[in-house]
Structure formats: C-alpha cells, structure tokens
DNA sequence: CTCGTTGCAAAGGATTTGCACAAGT
DNA sequence: ACTTGTGCAAATCCTTTGCAACGAG
C-alpha cells in the first residue's frame, strides 16, 4: 500500500506550537504523549490509530516506553477537538487521522487503499449546490471520495484485456 | 434521528427480479434469507447491518425465525457484489447499506445523523477534475459527504445567539 | 500541592470464521 | 444427489472504561 499524495499543508513542526497554546487555553496539560501522538499523525500523513500506535512503539525502541493504545485513542480525540487533526472513515473499521493546517478532502482507492489529499476547492461547486438546494453545509475536511486510482485501473485493464 | 431524504430510485419491487437473475448467472441460489435481506435494505432506505438484522427479527415476529447475523453480513456482501446494494462508511464503525437502481452520493449530518440521497450528477465536475488531474475514477455510489443539515444549523444558531 | 493524565487490565460491541446440518436446483 | 447456504458458537478486532499511581503546572 503506497502513500504519496500531494502535500497541501501541515508540516510536522507547525503543529507543535499551536498544541501547547490550545491546551493552555483550556487548562489542559502538555504531556510528552500528546506531543508524540501529534507528531506521529503529522509524520504518517494518513494513519489509523493502530498505525499511529505502531509508529510510536517503533520510535520508542525496545527500551523506551510508548504511549498506551488507550492514550493514543484519547489523545486523537482530544487533538481533533483542538482542531489539530482530522479523521475520516474509509473502508471497514479503519478511521484515518491526519494533521493539517487547512481542511481538505481526500480520495481513497478502493482497490489498493492509497489515500490522496486533493485541492480544498474540489468540492466548492457541489457544496454550493447542496447549500442552495438543501441548506446542507459540507464539512470538506471530513470528506473522502472512494474510487479507483490510475495504477489500479491500469492494472485491472491489463489483466482482463 | 429522522430519515427522509429525496427518493431517487429503487423501489422495493424492482430489486426482487434482478436478484433471482443475477444469482442464477453465477450459479448461486435464491434463498428466502437473501430475499428478505434485500427487501429489508430497500425498505429501510439507509440502514446498518445491525438495523437490518433488527428489522428482520421484527418482521419474523416471536414465532418465525429471522436470518442469523452472520447470514445478514454474508448476504450484504454478496448483494453488493451483485450490484444490488451499496454501502458507505459514515460515523464511527457504522457502515450503511442502501438498495438503488442507480448509484448516487449521500450527505450525512454529523450532528443528527440524518442521511440524504442527492442527485447523481452532484459530483460530476469534481469527478472530471480528479480524472484529469490524477487519473482517479470516483465511485459515486460510495461517496458520503459529511456536514451539517439545515435543521441542525438552525438549532445551533438559536442556542448560541 | 492539586487535578488532569497515563497505563493496565478488563469489558464491550461489531464482524468474521469453522463446521455440521438444512435446503435450493 | 450435489453443492451451496444457514445457524450456532467461538474467535477476533478495535475501542472504550474503571481505577490507582504519576506527573505537569
């Protein structure tokens, strides 16, 4: 499962500062676990809670201790409330988290699972139509469009010529 | 949690005929369970596997026996392969199935959970852009856009004036 | 110091899987 | 008859929760 996708924003370093600030605003504490979870989400670009946990374990190595799974879940939820990460539900039971300055939609290949970030304005037209017709406001950051990526389509094409 | 939404196609009766036909094409069997599961999906418009199971139990009453949960899951998967139902992942671990003649996208209110079917061409522009830019083919039937419905937005507005 | 946080362990809920029996064709 | 499909029960997987100890402010 590859993971390229266009980078649209959200470098690792940028997220660290807002974290301390937003936590303070709410009287919450800046713990090393929170730093690490946010860093992992940012570094992995698109990751499930499990993958984030694995990454943290990896970073910690054999000696150091990685945050517990429950801590990862709790902090992902918190970080999302703070507006520092977003999550989307894709296939089966795999929510995907990603850190970014600006919300943007994603496309997911149903065949290989590759996730790609796309331009924030992709859905502007659709969003306008929905607002006009139904009074529905689309939350662009949570949108994931499923379909088939170029690589998988070409592969399928060559297998059944 | 209300459930209206525009009806775009897919009456209960229409789906029954294709079922027998498509099963036969593949040398599979038409069982009462398969009929019932398909009927329940069509009747509920938008339902989780659990809700479908509940509905079947309800229909069966105290005496009759409803299909087992595992049978529901197996058949939902089968029906999807046959192209008779579609599923989308919305909030948490809640896949939603719906039967329809023609695939179309959905919008889901993150606040009240209401699911609404929308016009099939809503995403045509976006799909074209993705095809041109990334070679990505969107599967419109699996798309769910999350956001806030009119009712919830108005409610939120009046609570925090 | 004081209260938010973490780790651990155990509970939960939703799907899935193995198998022997039941049932379409 | 021949296979596919079903029900049941057990096994998984992912996530959540209760609680005592820990540590940030």
């Amino acid at each position: 499962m590859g993971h390229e996708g266009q980078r649209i924003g959200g470098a690792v370093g940028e997220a660290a500062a807002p974290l301390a600030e937003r936590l303070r605003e709410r009287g919450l504490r800046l713990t090393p676990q929170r730093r690490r979870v946010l860093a992992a989400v940012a570094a992995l670009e698109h990751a499930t809670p499990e993958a984030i946990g694995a990454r943290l374990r990896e970073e910690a190595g054999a000696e150091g201790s990685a945050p517990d799974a429950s801590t990862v879940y709790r902090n992902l939820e918190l970080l999302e409330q703070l507006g520092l990460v977003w999550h989307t539900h894709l296939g089966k039971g795999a929510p995907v988290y990603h850190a970014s300055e600006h919300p943007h939609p994603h496309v997911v290949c149903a065949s290989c699972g590759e996730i790609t970030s796309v331009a924030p304005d992709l859905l502007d037209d659709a969003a306008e139509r929905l607002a006009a017709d139904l009074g529905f406001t689309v939350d662009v950051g949570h949108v994931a469009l499923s379909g088939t990526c170029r690589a998988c389509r070409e592969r399928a094409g060559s297998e059944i010529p």
Side-chain angles (χ1 to χ4, degrees), chain A:
Chain A
M1 256 184 218
H3 290 267
E4 341 301 308
Q6 318 155 217
R7 226 130 293 138
I8 288 190
V12 179
E14 298 171 40
L19 175 58
E21 188 184 321
R22 305 211 194 183
L23 285 170
R24 192 154 310 169
E25 286 170 7
R26 305 203 184 192
L28 300 176
R29 292 166 189 175
L30 177 56
T31 64
Q33 289 87 337
R34 284 178 181 163
R35 277 183 195 288
R36 287 187 220 161
V37 170
L38 178 55
V41 174
L44 292 171
E45 297 265 343
H46 303 288
T48 62
E50 220 196 329
I52 293 165
R55 164 79 174 219
L56 293 172
R57 249 167 274 127
E58 195 179 299
E59 287 175 345
E63 350 82 48
S65 64
D68 187 73
S70 61
T71 300
V72 172
Y73 281 103
R74 286 188 279 229
N75 285 334
L76 284 172
E77 197 182 329
L78 172 65
L79 292 172
E80 187 155 35
Q81 285 172 13
L82 298 179
L84 298 172
V85 308
W86 298 83
H87 87 277
T88 328
H89 289 275
L90 310 174
K92 293 292 165 188
V96 171
Y97 285 80
H98 61 106
S100 77
E101 267 184 304
H102 309 295
H104 56 264
H106 295 80
V107 298
V108 196
C109 176
S111 175
C112 69
E114 176 168 297
I115 302 163
T116 308
S117 297
V118 299
D121 68 337
L122 179 76
L123 299 171
D124 284 359
D125 288 351
E128 264 178 52
R129 276 179 62 185
L130 289 173
D133 297 355
L134 306 175
F136 188 94
T137 310
V138 176
D139 182 351
V140 176
H142 286 181
V143 170
L145 306 175
S146 53
T148 311
C149 69
R150 174 182 286 140
C152 286
R153 188 139 40 86
E154 286 171 356
R155 189 181 329 127
S158 63
E159 279 167 9
I160 314 165

